[in-house]
Coordinates of all heavy atoms in Angstrom, one line a residue:
M1 N 0.8 -1.2 0.0 CA 0.0 0.0 0.0 C 0.9 1.3 0.0 O 1.8 1.4 0.8 CB -0.9 0.0 1.2 CG -1.8 1.3 1.3 SD -2.8 1.3 2.8 CE -4.1 0.1 2.3
A2 N 0.7 2.1 -0.9 CA 1.4 3.4 -1.0 C 1.0 4.3 0.1 O -0.2 4.6 0.4 CB 1.2 4.0 -2.4
R3 N 2.0 4.9 0.7 CA 1.7 5.9 1.8 C 1.6 7.3 1.1 O 2.4 7.6 0.2 CB 2.8 5.9 2.8 CG 2.8 4.6 3.7 CD 3.9 4.8 4.7 NE 3.7 3.8 5.7 CZ 4.5 3.7 6.6 NH1 5.6 4.4 6.7 NH2 4.3 2.7 7.6
R4 N 0.7 8.1 1.6 CA 0.6 9.5 1.1 C 0.4 10.4 2.3 O -0.1 10.0 3.4 CB -0.6 9.6 0.2 CG -0.4 8.7 -1.0 CD -1.5 8.8 -2.0 NE -1.5 10.0 -2.8 CZ -0.7 10.2 -3.9 NH1 0.2 9.3 -4.2 NH2 -0.7 11.3 -4.6
V5 N 0.8 11.7 2.2 CA 0.6 12.7 3.2 C -0.3 13.8 2.6 O -0.1 14.0 1.4 CB 1.9 13.3 3.7 CG1 2.7 14.0 2.6 CG2 1.7 14.2 4.8
Q6 N -1.2 14.3 3.3 CA -2.1 15.3 2.9 C -2.0 16.5 3.8 O -2.0 16.4 5.0 CB -3.5 14.8 2.9 CG -4.5 15.8 2.2 CD -5.9 15.2 2.2 OE1 -6.7 15.6 3.0 NE2 -6.2 14.3 1.2
V7 N -1.8 17.7 3.2 CA -1.8 19.0 3.9 C -3.0 19.8 3.5 O -3.3 19.9 2.3 CB -0.5 19.7 3.6 CG1 -0.4 21.1 4.4 CG2 0.7 18.8 4.0
A8 N -3.6 20.4 4.5 CA -4.8 21.3 4.1 C -4.5 22.7 4.7 O -4.0 22.8 5.8 CB -6.0 20.8 4.8
V9 N -4.7 23.7 3.9 CA -4.6 25.1 4.4 C -5.9 25.8 4.2 O -6.5 25.8 3.1 CB -3.5 25.8 3.5 CG1 -3.4 27.3 4.0 CG2 -2.2 25.1 3.6
E10 N -6.5 26.2 5.3 CA -7.8 26.8 5.3 C -7.8 28.3 5.7 O -7.0 28.7 6.5 CB -8.6 26.0 6.4 CG -10.1 26.4 6.5 CD -10.8 25.6 7.4 OE1 -10.3 24.6 8.1 OE2 -12.0 25.8 7.7
D11 N -8.7 29.0 5.0 CA -8.8 30.4 5.4 C -10.3 30.8 5.5 O -11.2 30.0 5.2 CB -8.1 31.4 4.3 CG -8.8 31.3 2.9 OD1 -10.1 31.3 2.9 OD2 -8.1 31.4 1.9
D12 N -10.6 31.9 6.0 CA -11.9 32.5 6.1 C -12.1 33.7 5.3 O -12.7 34.7 5.7 CB -12.3 32.7 7.6 CG -11.4 33.6 8.3 OD1 -10.5 34.2 7.7 OD2 -11.7 33.9 9.5
G13 N -11.4 33.7 4.1 CA -11.4 34.8 3.2 C -12.6 35.0 2.4 O -13.8 34.5 2.8
L14 N -12.5 35.5 1.2 CA -13.6 35.8 0.3 C -14.2 34.5 -0.3 O -15.4 34.5 -0.6 CB -13.0 36.6 -0.9 CG -12.5 38.0 -0.5 CD1 -11.9 38.7 -1.7 CD2 -13.5 38.8 0.2
G15 N -13.5 33.4 -0.4 CA -14.0 32.2 -1.1 C -14.2 32.5 -2.6 O -13.9 33.6 -3.1
M16 N -14.8 31.5 -3.3 CA -15.0 31.6 -4.8 C -16.0 30.7 -5.2 O -16.4 29.7 -4.5 CB -13.7 31.4 -5.5 CG -13.1 30.0 -5.4 SD -11.5 29.8 -5.9 CE -10.6 30.1 -4.4
S17 N -16.6 31.0 -6.4 CA -17.6 30.2 -6.9 C -17.1 28.9 -7.5 O -15.9 28.8 -7.7 CB -18.3 31.0 -8.1 OG -17.4 31.1 -9.2
V18 N -18.0 28.0 -7.8 CA -17.6 26.7 -8.3 C -17.0 26.9 -9.7 O -16.0 26.3 -10.1 CB -18.9 25.8 -8.5 CG1 -18.5 24.5 -9.3 CG2 -19.4 25.4 -7.1
E19 N -17.5 27.9 -10.5 CA -16.9 28.2 -11.8 C -15.5 28.7 -11.7 O -14.6 28.2 -12.5 CB -17.8 29.2 -12.5 CG -19.2 28.8 -12.9 CD -20.2 28.8 -11.7 OE1 -19.9 29.5 -10.7 OE2 -21.2 28.1 -11.8
D20 N -15.2 29.5 -10.7 CA -13.9 30.0 -10.5 C -12.9 28.9 -10.1 O -11.8 28.8 -10.5 CB -13.8 31.2 -9.5 CG -14.4 32.5 -10.2 OD1 -14.2 32.7 -11.4 OD2 -15.0 33.2 -9.4
Q21 N -13.4 28.0 -9.3 CA -12.6 26.9 -8.8 C -12.1 26.0 -9.9 O -11.0 25.5 -9.9 CB -13.4 26.1 -7.8 CG -13.7 26.7 -6.5 CD -14.6 25.9 -5.6 OE1 -14.3 24.7 -5.4 NE2 -15.6 26.5 -5.1
Q22 N -13.0 25.9 -11.0 CA -12.6 25.0 -12.1 C -11.4 25.5 -12.9 O -10.7 24.8 -13.5 CB -13.8 24.8 -13.0 CG -14.9 24.0 -12.4 CD -16.2 24.0 -13.2 OE1 -16.3 24.6 -14.2 NE2 -17.2 23.3 -12.7
S23 N -11.2 26.8 -12.8 CA -10.1 27.5 -13.6 C -8.9 27.9 -12.8 O -7.9 28.4 -13.3 CB -10.7 28.7 -14.4 OG -11.7 28.3 -15.2
L24 N -9.0 27.7 -11.5 CA -8.1 28.4 -10.5 C -6.7 28.0 -10.7 O -5.8 28.8 -10.6 CB -8.5 28.0 -9.1 CG -7.8 28.7 -7.9 CD1 -8.1 30.2 -8.1 CD2 -8.3 28.2 -6.7
F25 N -6.3 26.8 -11.2 CA -4.9 26.4 -11.3 C -4.4 26.6 -12.7 O -3.3 26.1 -13.0 CB -4.9 24.9 -10.9 CG -5.3 24.7 -9.4 CD1 -6.5 24.2 -9.1 CD2 -4.3 25.0 -8.4 CE1 -6.8 24.0 -7.8 CE2 -4.7 24.8 -7.1 CZ -5.9 24.3 -6.8
Q26 N -5.1 27.3 -13.6 CA -4.6 27.6 -14.9 C -3.7 28.8 -14.8 O -3.9 29.8 -14.1 CB -5.8 27.9 -15.9 CG -6.6 26.7 -16.1 CD -7.8 27.1 -17.0 OE1 -7.9 28.2 -17.6 NE2 -8.8 26.2 -17.0
E27 N -2.7 28.9 -15.7 CA -1.7 30.0 -15.7 C -2.5 31.3 -16.0 O -3.4 31.3 -16.9 CB -0.7 29.8 -16.8 CG 0.4 28.8 -16.4 CD 1.5 28.6 -17.5 OE1 1.3 29.2 -18.6 OE2 2.4 28.0 -17.2
F28 N -2.1 32.3 -15.3 CA -2.6 33.6 -15.4 C -4.1 33.8 -15.1 O -4.7 34.9 -15.3 CB -2.3 34.2 -16.8 CG -0.9 34.2 -17.2 CD1 -0.4 33.3 -18.1 CD2 0.0 35.1 -16.5 CE1 0.9 33.3 -18.4 CE2 1.3 35.1 -16.9 CZ 1.8 34.2 -17.8
Y29 N -4.8 32.8 -14.5 CA -6.2 33.0 -14.2 C -6.3 33.7 -12.9 O -5.5 33.5 -11.9 CB -6.8 31.6 -14.0 CG -8.3 31.7 -13.6 CD1 -9.2 32.0 -14.6 CD2 -8.7 31.7 -12.3 CE1 -10.6 32.2 -14.3 CE2 -10.0 31.9 -12.0 CZ -10.9 32.2 -13.0 OH -12.3 32.4 -12.7
R30 N -7.1 34.6 -12.8 CA -7.4 35.5 -11.6 C -8.9 35.5 -11.4 O -9.7 35.7 -12.4 CB -6.9 36.9 -11.8 CG -5.5 37.1 -12.0 CD -4.6 36.9 -10.7 NE -5.2 37.6 -9.6 CZ -4.9 38.9 -9.3 NH1 -4.2 39.6 -10.1 NH2 -5.5 39.4 -8.2
V31 N -9.4 35.3 -10.2 CA -10.8 35.5 -9.9 C -11.1 37.0 -9.9 O -10.4 37.8 -9.2 CB -11.1 34.9 -8.5 CG1 -12.6 35.2 -8.1 CG2 -10.8 33.4 -8.4
R32 N -12.0 37.4 -10.8 CA -12.2 38.8 -10.9 C -13.6 39.1 -10.5 O -14.7 38.7 -11.0 CB -12.1 39.2 -12.4 CG -10.7 39.0 -12.9 CD -9.8 40.1 -12.4 NE -8.5 39.9 -13.1 CZ -7.5 40.6 -12.7 NH1 -7.5 41.3 -11.7 NH2 -6.3 40.4 -13.3
T33 N -13.7 39.9 -9.3 CA -14.9 40.3 -8.8 C -14.7 41.7 -8.3 O -13.6 42.2 -8.2 CB -15.5 39.4 -7.6 OG1 -14.7 39.6 -6.6 CG2 -15.7 38.0 -8.0
E34 N -15.7 42.4 -7.9 CA -15.5 43.7 -7.2 C -14.6 43.6 -6.0 O -13.9 44.5 -5.7 CB -16.9 44.4 -6.9 CG -17.7 44.8 -8.1 CD -19.0 45.5 -7.7 OE1 -19.1 45.9 -6.5 OE2 -19.9 45.6 -8.5
K35 N -14.8 42.5 -5.2 CA -14.1 42.4 -4.0 C -12.7 42.1 -4.2 O -11.8 42.3 -3.3 CB -14.7 41.2 -3.2 CG -16.1 41.5 -2.7 CD -16.6 40.3 -2.0 CE -18.1 40.5 -1.5 NZ -18.6 39.4 -0.8
T36 N -12.2 41.5 -5.4 CA -10.9 41.2 -5.6 C -10.1 42.1 -6.5 O -8.9 41.9 -6.9 CB -10.8 39.8 -6.3 OG1 -11.4 39.8 -7.6 CG2 -11.4 38.7 -5.4
A37 N -10.8 43.1 -7.0 CA -10.3 44.1 -8.0 C -8.9 44.7 -7.6 O -8.1 45.0 -8.4 CB -11.3 45.2 -8.4
D38 N -8.8 45.0 -6.3 CA -7.6 45.7 -5.8 C -6.5 44.7 -5.2 O -5.5 45.2 -4.7 CB -7.9 46.7 -4.7 CG -8.8 47.8 -5.2 OD1 -8.6 48.1 -6.4 OD2 -9.6 48.4 -4.4
I39 N -6.7 43.4 -5.4 CA -5.7 42.5 -4.9 C -4.7 42.3 -6.0 O -5.1 41.8 -7.2 CB -6.4 41.1 -4.5 CG1 -7.3 41.3 -3.4 CG2 -5.3 40.1 -4.1 CD1 -8.2 40.2 -3.0
P40 N -3.4 42.5 -5.8 CA -2.4 42.4 -6.8 C -2.0 40.9 -7.0 O -2.2 40.0 -6.2 CB -1.2 43.2 -6.3 CG -1.4 43.1 -4.8 CD -2.8 43.1 -4.6
G41 N -1.4 40.7 -8.2 CA -1.0 39.3 -8.5 C -1.0 39.1 -10.0 O -1.6 39.8 -10.8
T42 N -0.3 38.0 -10.4 CA -0.2 37.7 -11.8 C -1.1 36.5 -12.3 O -1.3 36.3 -13.4 CB 1.3 37.3 -12.3 OG1 1.7 36.2 -11.5 CG2 2.2 38.5 -12.0
G43 N -1.5 35.7 -11.3 CA -2.3 34.5 -11.6 C -1.3 33.3 -11.9 O -1.8 32.4 -12.5
L44 N -0.1 33.4 -11.5 CA 0.9 32.3 -11.7 C 1.1 31.4 -10.5 O 1.5 30.3 -10.7 CB 2.2 32.9 -12.2 CG 2.2 33.3 -13.7 CD1 3.6 34.0 -13.9 CD2 2.0 32.2 -14.6
G45 N 0.9 31.9 -9.3 CA 1.3 31.2 -8.1 C 0.7 29.8 -8.0 O 1.4 28.8 -7.9
L46 N -0.6 29.7 -8.2 CA -1.2 28.4 -8.0 C -0.9 27.4 -9.2 O -0.8 26.2 -9.0 CB -2.8 28.5 -7.9 CG -3.1 29.1 -6.5 CD1 -4.7 29.3 -6.4 CD2 -2.7 28.2 -5.3
S47 N -0.7 28.0 -10.3 CA -0.4 27.1 -11.5 C 1.0 26.6 -11.2 O 1.3 25.3 -11.6 CB -0.5 27.8 -12.8 OG 0.5 28.8 -12.9
L48 N 1.9 27.3 -10.7 CA 3.3 26.9 -10.3 C 3.3 25.8 -9.3 O 3.9 24.8 -9.3 CB 4.2 28.0 -9.9 CG 4.5 29.0 -11.1 CD1 5.2 30.2 -10.5 CD2 5.3 28.3 -12.2
V49 N 2.5 26.1 -8.2 CA 2.3 25.1 -7.1 C 1.8 23.7 -7.7 O 2.3 22.6 -7.4 CB 1.4 25.6 -6.0 CG1 1.1 24.5 -5.0 CG2 2.0 26.8 -5.3
K50 N 0.7 23.8 -8.6 CA 0.2 22.6 -9.2 C 1.3 21.9 -10.0 O 1.4 20.6 -9.8 CB -0.9 23.0 -10.1 CG -1.5 21.7 -10.8 CD -2.7 22.1 -11.6 CE -3.3 20.8 -12.2 NZ -4.1 21.0 -13.3
A51 N 2.1 22.6 -10.8 CA 3.1 21.9 -11.6 C 4.2 21.3 -10.6 O 4.6 20.1 -10.9 CB 3.8 23.0 -12.5
I52 N 4.5 21.9 -9.6 CA 5.5 21.3 -8.7 C 4.9 20.0 -8.0 O 5.6 19.0 -7.9 CB 6.0 22.3 -7.6 CG1 6.8 23.4 -8.2 CG2 6.7 21.6 -6.5 CD1 7.0 24.6 -7.4
V53 N 3.7 20.1 -7.5 CA 3.0 19.0 -6.8 C 2.9 17.8 -7.8 O 3.2 16.7 -7.5 CB 1.7 19.5 -6.3 CG1 0.8 18.2 -5.9 CG2 1.8 20.4 -5.1
E54 N 2.5 18.1 -9.0 CA 2.3 17.0 -10.0 C 3.6 16.4 -10.4 O 3.7 15.2 -10.7 CB 1.5 17.5 -11.2 CG 0.0 17.7 -10.8 CD -0.8 18.3 -12.0 OE1 -0.3 18.7 -13.0 OE2 -2.1 18.3 -11.8
T55 N 4.7 17.2 -10.4 CA 6.0 16.6 -10.7 C 6.4 15.6 -9.7 O 7.1 14.7 -10.1 CB 7.1 17.8 -10.7 OG1 6.7 18.7 -11.9 CG2 8.5 17.3 -11.0
H56 N 5.9 15.8 -8.5 CA 6.2 14.9 -7.5 C 5.1 13.8 -7.3 O 5.0 13.1 -6.2 CB 6.4 15.6 -6.1 CG 7.7 16.5 -6.1 ND1 9.0 15.9 -6.1 CD2 7.8 17.8 -6.2 CE1 9.8 16.9 -6.1 NE2 9.2 18.0 -6.2
E57 N 4.3 13.6 -8.3 CA 3.3 12.6 -8.4 C 2.2 12.8 -7.4 O 1.6 11.9 -6.9 CB 3.9 11.2 -8.3 CG 4.8 10.9 -9.5 CD 5.4 9.5 -9.5 OE1 5.1 8.7 -8.6 OE2 6.3 9.3 -10.3
G58 N 2.0 14.0 -7.1 CA 0.9 14.4 -6.1 C -0.3 15.1 -6.8 O -0.3 15.1 -8.0
R59 N -1.2 15.6 -6.0 CA -2.3 16.3 -6.5 C -2.6 17.5 -5.6 O -2.3 17.5 -4.4 CB -3.5 15.4 -6.7 CG -4.1 14.7 -5.5 CD -5.1 13.7 -5.8 NE -5.8 13.3 -4.6 CZ -7.1 13.4 -4.4 NH1 -7.9 13.9 -5.3 NH2 -7.6 13.0 -3.2
I60 N -3.3 18.4 -6.2 CA -3.8 19.6 -5.5 C -5.2 19.9 -5.9 O -5.7 19.7 -7.0 CB -2.9 20.8 -5.7 CG1 -3.3 22.0 -4.9 CG2 -2.8 21.2 -7.2 CD1 -2.3 23.2 -4.9
W61 N -6.0 20.4 -4.9 CA -7.4 20.8 -5.2 C -7.9 21.7 -4.2 O -7.2 22.0 -3.2 CB -8.3 19.6 -5.3 CG -8.6 18.8 -4.0 CD1 -9.7 19.0 -3.2 CD2 -7.7 17.8 -3.4 NE1 -9.6 18.1 -2.1 CE2 -8.4 17.4 -2.2 CE3 -6.5 17.2 -3.7 CZ2 -7.9 16.5 -1.4 CZ3 -6.0 16.3 -2.8 CH2 -6.7 15.9 -1.7
V62 N -9.0 22.3 -4.4 CA -9.6 23.3 -3.5 C -11.1 23.0 -3.3 O -11.7 22.5 -4.1 CB -9.5 24.7 -4.1 CG1 -10.2 24.9 -5.4 CG2 -9.8 25.8 -3.1
Q63 N -11.5 23.4 -2.1 CA -12.9 23.4 -1.7 C -13.2 24.8 -1.2 O -12.4 25.3 -0.4 CB -13.3 22.4 -0.6 CG -13.1 20.9 -1.1 CD -13.4 20.0 0.1 OE1 -13.5 20.4 1.2 NE2 -13.5 18.7 -0.3
S64 N -14.2 25.4 -1.8 CA -14.4 26.9 -1.4 C -15.9 27.2 -1.5 O -16.6 26.6 -2.3 CB -13.6 27.7 -2.4 OG -13.7 29.1 -2.0
E65 N -16.2 28.2 -0.7 CA -17.6 28.7 -0.7 C -17.5 30.2 -0.6 O -16.8 30.8 0.2 CB -18.4 28.2 0.5 CG -19.8 28.6 0.4 CD -20.6 27.9 1.6 OE1 -20.2 26.9 2.2 OE2 -21.7 28.4 1.9
E66 N -18.2 30.9 -1.5 CA -18.2 32.3 -1.6 C -18.6 32.9 -0.2 O -19.5 32.5 0.4 CB -19.1 32.9 -2.7 CG -18.6 32.7 -4.1 CD -19.5 33.2 -5.2 OE1 -20.4 32.5 -5.5 OE2 -19.1 34.4 -5.5
D67 N -17.9 34.0 0.2 CA -18.1 34.7 1.4 C -17.9 33.8 2.7 O -18.3 34.3 3.8 CB -19.5 35.4 1.5 CG -19.7 36.4 0.3 OD1 -18.7 37.1 0.0 OD2 -20.7 36.3 -0.3
V68 N -17.3 32.7 2.5 CA -17.0 31.8 3.7 C -15.6 31.5 3.8 O -15.0 31.5 4.9 CB -17.9 30.4 3.6 CG1 -17.5 29.5 4.7 CG2 -19.4 30.7 3.5
G69 N -14.9 31.1 2.7 CA -13.5 30.8 2.7 C -13.2 29.6 1.8 O -14.0 29.1 1.2
S70 N -11.9 29.3 1.9 CA -11.4 28.2 1.0 C -10.4 27.3 1.8 O -9.9 27.7 2.8 CB -10.6 28.8 -0.1 OG -11.3 29.7 -0.9
T71 N -10.5 26.0 1.4 CA -9.4 25.1 1.9 C -8.7 24.5 0.7 O -9.3 24.0 -0.3 CB -10.1 23.9 2.7 OG1 -10.9 24.5 3.8 CG2 -9.1 23.0 3.3
F72 N -7.4 24.6 0.7 CA -6.5 24.1 -0.3 C -5.9 22.8 0.2 O -5.4 22.8 1.3 CB -5.4 25.1 -0.7 CG -6.0 26.2 -1.5 CD1 -6.5 27.3 -0.9 CD2 -6.0 26.2 -2.9 CE1 -7.1 28.4 -1.6 CE2 -6.5 27.3 -3.6 CZ -7.1 28.4 -2.9
F73 N -5.9 21.7 -0.6 CA -5.4 20.5 -0.2 C -4.2 20.1 -1.2 O -4.3 20.3 -2.4 CB -6.4 19.4 -0.3 CG -7.6 19.5 0.5 CD1 -8.7 20.3 0.1 CD2 -7.6 19.0 1.8 CE1 -9.8 20.5 0.9 CE2 -8.7 19.2 2.6 CZ -9.8 19.9 2.2
V74 N -3.2 19.6 -0.6 CA -2.0 19.0 -1.3 C -1.8 17.6 -0.8 O -1.7 17.4 0.4 CB -0.7 19.9 -1.2 CG1 0.5 19.2 -1.8 CG2 -0.9 21.3 -1.8
E75 N -1.7 16.6 -1.7 CA -1.5 15.3 -1.4 C -0.2 14.8 -2.1 O -0.2 14.9 -3.3 CB -2.7 14.4 -1.7 CG -2.6 13.0 -1.1 CD -3.8 12.2 -1.5 OE1 -3.9 11.7 -2.6 OE2 -4.7 12.1 -0.6
L76 N 0.8 14.2 -1.4 CA 2.0 13.8 -2.0 C 2.3 12.3 -1.5 O 2.0 12.0 -0.4 CB 3.1 14.7 -1.6 CG 3.1 16.1 -2.1 CD1 4.1 17.0 -1.3 CD2 3.3 16.1 -3.5
P77 N 3.0 11.6 -2.3 CA 3.4 10.2 -1.9 C 4.5 10.3 -0.9 O 5.2 11.3 -0.8 CB 3.9 9.5 -3.2 CG 4.1 10.7 -4.2 CD 3.3 11.9 -3.7

């Protein structure tokens, strides 16, 4: 049986819609709403994290609810 470790990072921030979650790990993707308009960034961070995690045969995903927060999960062998 393969052993795996899972890390979860949870916040109580803005959260995001299901539609935004589907695109979140794409290069240069930014969640664009009135609430996020002033938040700086390039949209590269999560795509880079995904590439690193997948290089190590792991996976990354998010669970989020608007106005409640998000939980990001990373699972590695």
Side-chain angles (χ1 to χ4, degrees):
M1 176 182 285
R3 291 181 164 177
R4 299 184 74 78
V5 63
Q6 187 179 99
V7 177
V9 178
E10 183 176 356
D11 69 37
D12 58 357
L14 300 174
M16 66 194 89
S17 69
V18 172
E19 293 80 18
D20 286 326
Q21 291 175 50
Q22 294 171 356
S23 301
L24 190 62
F25 297 101
Q26 294 176 12
E27 288 183 347
F28 302 108
Y29 182 78
R30 298 284 314 276
V31 174
R32 297 288 185 190
T33 66
E34 288 182 21
K35 294 178 183 178
T36 65
D38 294 331
I39 298 174
T42 62
L44 284 173
L46 289 174
S47 66
L48 291 172
V49 171
K50 181 180 180 197
I52 293 167
V53 167
E54 289 178 347
T55 296
H56 293 287
E57 298 179 6
R59 64 188 187 119
I60 184 171
W61 69 98
V62 63
Q63 293 176 349
S64 185
E65 187 176 340
E66 288 182 276
D67 300 317
V68 175
S70 303
T71 304
F72 288 84
F73 298 89
V74 173
E75 186 177 82
L76 295 166

